[in-house]
Amino acid sequence: MVPFAGWDMPVQYESIVKEHHRVRSSVGLFDVSHMGQLEVRGPRALETINRLITGSPMHVPDGGALYTLCCNAEGGIHDDLIVYRHHTELASIICNAGNRTKIASLVQDAADGACDFVNRSDERALLALQGPRAAEVLGLVGANRAQELRPFRFAQISVAGSECMVARTGYTGEDGFELSCSADHAPALWNALTDAGEPCEIGPAGLGCRDTLRLEARLLLYGNDIDETTNPFEAGLGWVVKLDSGDFVGRDALQKIKAERKTKAGGTERRLVGFRMIGRGIARHGYPIVDIDGTALGVVTSGSPGPTVGSNIGLGYVPTDKTAIGTKVGIRIREKTVDAEVVATPFYRRPRLSEPRGPSKNE
Amino acid sequence: MAYPSDLKYTKDHEWARQEDGLVRVGVTAYAVQQLGDVTLIDLPPVGSDVQAQERFGDIESVKTVSELFAPIGGEIVEINTELESSPELVNEGPYDRGWMILIRPSDPGELNRLMDPPAYEDFVGSLEG
């Protein structure tokens, strides 16, 4: 167990690599109850949230989930979130554990006098059932309705006797579900899923493989790849910034940043890129990225072995004129510079349902 | 966890085994358990000299990187080249196929400064709290 944002979290139950492959080939179950769960209720719930995020819950149907950002006035990122629109007067938010206090206070202030705010983080647990056989597991516990959910849709569904908000979302690059339930019910739900999922080769999955899985899928990690000093455009999250979604905190700054990025000559701005190690070495968060002549270019924000892609991979910010696929860079690993090259991301994209998948694909 | 009785141990979780005047070195099962899946091991070239308690290489797992320290000073006469392509041997057999370097000690007496198995077991116990 390791301390993580005030929680004791298992990095691995058995082996990061085994758990990683299990999620890619069958199904893994994560306990991600450390995530913050907030609720906003009332006739002005949606407009209240709309003012805090770069997207709009107005443009999402009831039962729809939205990946979005909460930015500061300068356009830096307070957090990346998923907003769930239950109906026009109820929305919930799942935010990162480390940002829970900050986001709760921002939402609470925005809700003040306009709608009701409840921080349900302590009373709600969150389990993530991830992998190609996740839907099958839910069928085995009688939650067949969940199988009909499309990606980024959610519903209130009884799963093995526990009332859950089941969303077809995740952080692994695989098909999967996130189940929010009352904390009291979480142990029973965990046991029901792991028992029923046995024929699907289910297993528990820890924080360690969550990181390798999300990195292969180029899903960003708050505090590593993005933070209050990075803007969405340089992080490659411009697609979640909807400047026409009404007034929101950071909108003016983001509009300006976007306009300037278009007019500035290449090389004056930075961008988050994916790279693959060519030489022998593993890039880690904080290692310097250098040009082939040794000039400093930027910093690694995430790096690890990619068990499915079969090479050591990473993300980091480099000047925009160094972002072309195939650009050779160096990673400073202790006293050595190890060759790496910019590659297309995501590093891993899950096969379509009709294709063979899992480890058998490459064997 | 039981620790082989024919080995000596360091507080950095390396083991040392005397073999015909040479000393074979690796990391303990406790180190392996803490590291998780080992993915990369950097070893020095054969012929280089190491000092006792000095860093001789690095061991990386999926999650983290740690330094390797020599339990005894001397010349490195052999390294386990199998680890370059199969670092997982350290997970599978830390005391046999997962060995790392073979040292010709400059002062074999240095081994006496290392912990014997019960002392190492107590030491690990103290870390676990």
Side-chain angles (χ1 to χ4, degrees):
Chain A
M1 301 292 252
V2 293
F4 182 87
W7 297 72
D8 283 335
M9 305 276 296
V11 169
Q12 58 178 30
Y13 290 88
E14 189 192 349
S15 142
I16 294 176
V17 173
K18 271 186 198 158
E19 290 161 25
H20 178 109
H21 289 310
R22 185 186 286 134
V23 171
R24 291 266 183 261
S25 62
S26 55
V27 55
L29 185 60
F30 299 82
D31 179 359
V32 286
S33 302
H34 58 302
M35 310 273 303
Q37 302 195 45
L38 316 174
E39 194 178 284
V40 181
R41 199 182 278 271
R44 294 168 65 189
L46 299 186
E47 58 172 270
T48 297
I49 291 176
N50 197 34
R51 274 198 294 275
L52 292 173
I53 61 173
T54 60
S56 174
M58 315 290 197
H59 301 147
V60 172
D62 290 352
L66 175 72
Y67 175 72
T68 189
L69 300 171
C70 174
C71 285
N72 61 30
E74 292 75 46
I77 303 171
H78 270 315
D79 200 8
D80 59 338
L81 317 162
I82 295 188
V83 172
Y84 303 81
R85 172 168 158 168
H86 298 252
H87 51 74
T88 51
E89 299 194 6
L90 175 62
S92 54
I93 297 170
I94 295 189
C95 66
N96 283 299
N99 294 328
R100 190 173 131 174
T101 313
K102 175 173 73 177
I103 297 300
S105 117
L106 286 169
V107 178
Q108 182 161 29
D109 290 350
D112 190 33
C115 43
D116 296 324
F117 165 79
V118 190
N119 186 342
R120 299 212 182 272
S121 302
D122 290 333
E123 62 194 80
R124 306 285 296 176
L126 189 66
L127 302 186
L129 184 69
Q130 300 281 301
R133 301 187 77 175
E136 206 181 325
V137 174
L138 288 178
L140 291 171
V141 290
N144 303 64
R145 264 182 68 215
Q147 299 175 326
E148 290 153 26
L149 289 171
R150 286 156 51 215
F152 279 83
R153 292 290 184 274
F154 71 96
Q156 302 296 327
I157 298 172
S158 174
V159 182
S162 300
E163 270 313 303
C164 296
M165 182 184 96
V166 181
R168 197 149 199 164
T169 51
Y171 190 53
T172 59
E174 291 305 322
D175 183 22
F177 301 84
E178 290 174 299
L179 295 82
S180 163
C181 70
S182 144
D184 300 344
H185 288 167
L189 179 61
W190 174 279
N191 292 334
L193 290 170
T194 49
D195 289 350
E198 223 167 282
C200 301
E201 294 167 8
I202 196 172
L207 267 190
C209 76
R210 192 167 157 82
D211 193 45
T212 53
L213 289 160
R214 69 91 197 166
L215 178 58
E216 286 187 334
R218 199 197 188 277
L219 296 167
L220 304 188
L221 174 61
Y222 193 88
N224 279 36
D225 308 311
I226 50 174
D227 58 34
E228 289 180 19
T229 70
T230 56
N231 72 59
F233 301 106
E234 61 193 10
L237 292 175
W239 62 279
V240 296
V241 178
K242 309 290 185 196
L243 292 170
D244 57 356
S245 67
D247 193 24
F248 60 86
V249 179
R251 183 177 174 278
D252 293 347
L254 290 169
Q255 195 155 31
K256 193 160 164 266
I257 293 167
K258 189 180 183 182
E260 282 174 0
R261 284 183 74 82
K262 275 195 175 153
T263 54
K264 272 189 190 167
T268 57
E269 295 286 321
R270 60 180 196 163
R271 195 179 157 86
L272 191 69
V273 292
F275 60 85
R276 182 180 71 86
M277 301 305 296
I278 299 171
R280 208 163 156 269
I282 301 169
R284 308 273 181 190
H285 176 72
Y287 288 6
I289 305 175
V290 296
D291 210 341
I292 39 176
D293 64 5
T295 324
L297 291 178
V299 166
V300 174
T301 56
S302 289
S304 79
T308 305
V309 301
S311 51
N312 298 328
I313 54 174
L315 296 173
Y317 286 96
V318 295
T320 47
D321 62 346
K322 297 290 174 190
T323 57
I325 309 296
T327 305
K328 298 283 185 289
V329 295
I331 308 294
R332 290 289 300 165
I333 300 180
R334 296 177 286 283
E335 67 273 23
K336 289 179 293 192
T337 300
V338 181
D339 291 343
E341 70 173 338
V342 175
V343 294
T345 53
F347 304 96
Y348 166 83
R349 209 184 288 273
R350 73 169 176 265
R352 288 165 191 271
L353 288 174
S354 55
E355 293 173 37
R357 55 176 312 146
S360 58
K361 194 176 164 231
N362 297 320
E363 277 168 17
Chain B
M1 213 178 281
Y3 298 98
S5 57
D6 59 329
L7 306 182
K8 294 279 212 170
Y9 299 88
T10 72
K11 61 172 178 41
D12 302 304
H13 310 291
E14 288 88 14
W15 54 260
R17 179 191 287 128
Q18 272 189 291
E19 293 179 9
D20 305 325
L22 301 176
V23 176
R24 197 176 295 272
V25 175
V27 297
T28 67
Y30 176 79
V32 167
Q33 184 200 55
Q34 294 298 307
L35 285 163
D37 303 301
V38 175
T39 49
L40 197 150
I41 295 154
D42 249 337
L43 298 175
V46 169
S48 48
D49 288 321
V50 285
Q51 301 289 320
Q53 296 164 49
E54 194 177 77
R55 172 176 159 219
F56 71 84
D58 298 297
I59 181 167
E60 299 210 35
S61 65
V62 177
K63 265 329 270 183
T64 188
V65 52
S66 292
E67 299 183 327
L68 297 163
F69 296 95
I72 188 164
E75 183 197 351
I76 295 172
V77 293
E78 196 182 337
I79 64 170
N80 186 352
T81 50
E82 258 194 302
L83 298 182
E84 183 160 348
S85 55
S86 305
E88 68 279 1
L89 291 175
V90 176
N91 293 96
E92 291 162 10
Y95 304 114
D96 39 70
R97 286 187 70 196
W99 70 276
M100 292 175 182
I101 56 173
L102 192 62
I103 297 177
R104 176 174 294 120
S106 37
D107 173 13
E110 280 181 345
L111 272 187
N112 298 328
R113 291 208 299 250
L114 303 181
M115 287 180 268
D116 58 17
Y120 180 65
E121 204 166 339
D122 286 350
F123 174 67
V124 167
S126 73
L127 299 177
E128 297 285 270

